[in-house]
């Protein structure tokens, strides 16, 4: 398959793929990926460990069912989880059964390479060897090299509104194996079990499904190439994308091109969240957790709030843990957060370090039976050097080291 991908396939279509999907070797490798991702049990209450306890038998049954076309996906269990940065709003999360996650992973293993070779360069979401940081670096480079006008675009309910028939036609452009196409169609129309009812989706890709990110990229791939042909610099991560332009007129033309394509393809740009922005002026724009404005970058308010909420949860005054335990737990959060946001401007980090040390000083005061705060005496009693000696991760020091490494 890899050799054929390199040389091209006759007629540009693949005719025989289903045997690669149901091969035991592929199913075993797929279970390994599912096991690594963990995840909850679906509607059948079977956990990853339970499925793995009878692995060979379960995989053999799946292989036979796909082979004789008797395989049918089970309902997706829908649960509601809090939206990031919100205490009241919730978003749906779909949980397929373990068996269905294994089959979807096996299916993705086979068809992803076929589409991956043709995906546009500026598409970064859910692709092998690519990620958010690559997309952010591209945005930063374009801003630096004279593309300050930004079409900040938002597709309204994208994953829930992709037309099934049009999506399948996109898949059929490269795959002619009817049994593979039938399998994809089954996943698209998989029943969803909500708290009070079961229903069959008529549009969109299944929430939480392993195959959904790939299918969403397949549907938007023509948009990627269209914008590229028109000369626009688009940076896309799944359904989150920006178009970087040199002038306001160019940005208006890009927005018009986006509106024409989405309307023709059964999608909709969010009227309130899609706008033109001059990144050199106040206001800026947000992309993948970052806020860009006037040559500076900092975490958007929701990203900062999420980090602070995590720190607050670990630094309650009466938490009952030792200082060593608290610092070790905090360091896990801070190192992970910094790894993503280390591209921020340097003014972001000093106030955060100060706030974190203040939280820990309050714990130390509480442990001594003191109340309130005494800023000057607290700083003398527990100076910054005290926390450095205890091993508390410093965002400022980490950023200095990061900047120095970039100059080498």
């Amino acid at each position: 398959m890899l050799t054929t991908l390199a040389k091209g396939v006759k007629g540009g279509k693949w005719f025989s793929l289903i045997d690669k999907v149901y091969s035991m070797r592929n199913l075993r490798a797929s279970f390994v990926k599912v096991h690594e991702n963990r995840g909850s049990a679906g509607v059948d209450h079977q956990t990853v460990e339970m499925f793995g306890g009878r692995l060979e038998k379960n995989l053999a049954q799946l292989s036979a069912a796909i082979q004789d076309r008797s395989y049918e996906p089970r309902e997706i269990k829908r649960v509601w989880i809090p939206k990031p940065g919100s205490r009241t709003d919730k978003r749906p999360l779909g949980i397929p059964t373990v068996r269905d996650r294994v089959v979807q992973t096996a299916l993705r293993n086979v068809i992803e390479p076929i589409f991956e070779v043709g995906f546009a360069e500026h598409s970064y979401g859910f692709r092998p060897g690519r990620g958010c940081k690559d997309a952010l670096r591209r945005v930063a480079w374009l801003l630096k090299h004279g593309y300050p006008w930004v079409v900040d675009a938002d597709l309204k309910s994208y994953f829930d509104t992709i037309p099934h028939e049009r999506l399948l036609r996109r898949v059929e452009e490269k795959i002619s194996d009817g049994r593979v196409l039938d399998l994809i169609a089954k996943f698209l129309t998989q029943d969803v079990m909500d708290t009070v009812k079961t229903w069959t989706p008529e549009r969109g890709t299944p929430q939480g499904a392993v195959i959904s990110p790939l299918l969403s990229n397949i549907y938007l791939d023509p948009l990627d190439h269209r914008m590229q042909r028109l000369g626009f610099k688009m940076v896309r991560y799944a359904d989150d994308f920006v178009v970087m332009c040199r002038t306001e007129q160019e940005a208006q033309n890009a927005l018009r091109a986006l509106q024409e394509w989405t309307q023709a393809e059964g999608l909709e740009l969010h009227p309130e969240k899609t706008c033109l922005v001059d990144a050199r002026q106040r206001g800026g724009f947000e992309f993948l957790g970052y806020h860009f404005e006037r040559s500076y970058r900092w975490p958007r308010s929701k990203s900062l709030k999420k980090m602070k909420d995590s720190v607050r949860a670990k630094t309650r005054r009466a938490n009952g843990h030792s200082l060593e335990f608290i610092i070790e737990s905090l360091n896990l959060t801070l190192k992970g957060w910094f790894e993503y946001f280390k591209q921020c401007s340097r003014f972001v980090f000093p106030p955060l370090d100060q706030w974190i040390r203040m939280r820990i000083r309050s714990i130390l005061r509480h442990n001594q039976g003191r109340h309130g705060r005494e800023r000057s005496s607290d700083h003398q009693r527990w100076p910054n050097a005290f926390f450095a000696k205890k091993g508390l991760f410093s965002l400022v020091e980490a950023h200095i080291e990061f900047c120095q490494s970039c100059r080498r």
Side-chain angles (χ1 to χ4, degrees), residues 102-284:
V102 170
V103 174
Q104 287 189 20
T105 303
L107 179 61
R108 185 188 65 187
N109 289 345
V110 173
I111 70 173
E112 183 177 61
I114 295 171
F115 290 94
E116 177 63 29
V117 293
F119 281 159
E121 180 65 24
H122 57 251
S123 167
Y124 296 92
F126 306 108
R127 294 183 59 190
R130 289 168 167 252
C132 292
K133 294 178 185 177
D134 302 300
L136 290 165
R137 276 192 287 268
R138 176 62 174 164
V139 168
W141 189 93
L142 288 167
L143 287 171
K144 185 178 179 180
H145 289 81
Y147 293 83
W149 278 94
V150 181
V151 182
D152 188 2
D154 184 274
L155 287 172
K156 190 174 182 180
S157 304
Y158 172 61
F159 285 91
D160 292 330
T161 57
I162 301 174
H164 288 173
E165 289 186 8
R166 291 180 181 178
L167 173 57
L168 286 171
R169 284 201 296 270
R170 296 271 157 82
V171 177
E172 289 172 8
E173 290 173 5
K174 293 191 176 182
I175 295 176
S176 290
D177 188 325
R179 295 169 71 180
V180 169
L181 295 171
D182 287 345
L183 196 55
I184 294 172
K186 285 181 178 181
F187 284 124
L188 289 175
T189 56
Q190 216 171 336
D191 285 347
V192 177
M193 181 178 290
D194 220 324
T195 51
V196 293
K197 62 179 181 179
T198 299
W199 53 279
T200 303
E202 297 180 357
R203 296 168 68 89
T205 56
Q207 297 266 2
V210 176
I211 200 73
S212 287
L214 174 60
L215 295 177
S216 69
N217 273 336
I218 290 172
Y219 198 72
L220 287 181
D221 186 55
L223 173 62
D224 295 337
H225 290 285
R226 172 180 167 80
M227 298 300 283
Q228 192 171 18
R229 285 195 304 273
L230 293 173
F232 298 121
K233 306 295 185 183
M234 187 166 83
V235 183
R236 183 174 69 82
Y237 190 94
D239 62 331
D240 194 359
F241 58 91
V242 290
V243 186
M244 317 291 290
C245 304
R246 291 190 180 277
T247 65
E248 182 178 8
Q249 183 60 54
E250 185 183 350
Q252 290 174 347
N253 293 340
L255 177 58
R256 189 157 44 247
L258 285 173
Q259 290 170 333
E260 290 172 356
W261 188 89
T262 52
Q263 185 175 7
E265 297 299 331
L267 303 175
E268 180 183 358
L269 289 175
H270 200 295
E272 297 175 1
K273 296 181 181 180
T274 300
C275 58
L276 302 186
V277 174
D278 183 351
R280 297 166 297 188
Q281 305 300 320
R282 287 185 178 274

Side-chain angles (χ1 to χ4, degrees), residues 310-330:
S310 179
V311 171
R312 286 190 184 97
K314 295 180 177 184
T315 56
R316 294 189 177 94
R317 289 191 180 187
N319 60 57
H321 296 298
S322 67
L323 179 61
E324 290 73 18
F325 179 91
I326 294 169
I327 288 177
E328 183 180 355
S329 178
L330 272 176

